[in-house]
Amino acid sequence: MQMLINVPDTLPKALVQQRIKELEERLKKEAQQSQKAASKWEKMVQRIELKSFDLEDHTDNFNRDRQEFRESFTFKDKPE
């Protein structure tokens, strides 16, 4: 992608070029990090959000079950 940036003529050309290069590097780094950051759980959440559906009459039961699961969930301790 190309962008047009208007910069005042009073700024030194070397400084402007340096700042543009720094911005390009930062944007590339952020793009790489955002691609790597999506874990399998984040991808699953995104997929669910994009393909959401209506539970209709089952909403109350689902919410109760979800709350019960959250309240009773614990990780198993490592065996000693």
Side-chain angles (χ1 to χ4, degrees):
M1 172 189 337
Q2 290 186 347
M3 296 183 72
L4 177 65
I5 301 175
N6 293 321
V7 180
D9 293 332
T10 56
L11 291 176
K13 187 175 181 178
L15 177 66
V16 172
Q17 290 176 340
Q18 177 187 357
R19 296 290 191 242
I20 290 174
K21 186 175 181 178
E22 290 171 2
L23 177 61
E24 287 176 340
E25 290 172 2
R26 193 174 91 205
L27 289 173
K28 287 178 185 178
K29 183 184 278 186
E30 288 178 12
Q32 289 174 345
Q33 289 174 346
S34 68
Q35 289 174 351
K36 292 179 183 177
S39 71
K40 65 178 181 179
W41 300 111
E42 290 170 321
K43 290 176 186 176
M44 183 172 62
V45 168
Q46 291 171 356
R47 187 176 68 240
I48 290 170
E49 287 175 345
L50 290 173
K51 298 179 181 180
S52 62
F53 55 92
D54 187 14
L55 295 173
E56 297 173 1
D57 298 335
H58 304 286
T59 302
D60 292 333
N61 287 337
F62 175 76
N63 288 333
R64 274 194 305 274
D65 291 344
R66 183 177 55 168
Q67 185 64 33
E68 181 182 330
F69 176 80
R70 283 183 177 176
E71 291 172 356
S72 64
F73 179 83
T74 59
F75 286 103
K76 292 183 180 180
D77 292 332
K78 292 181 181 179
E80 293 181 20

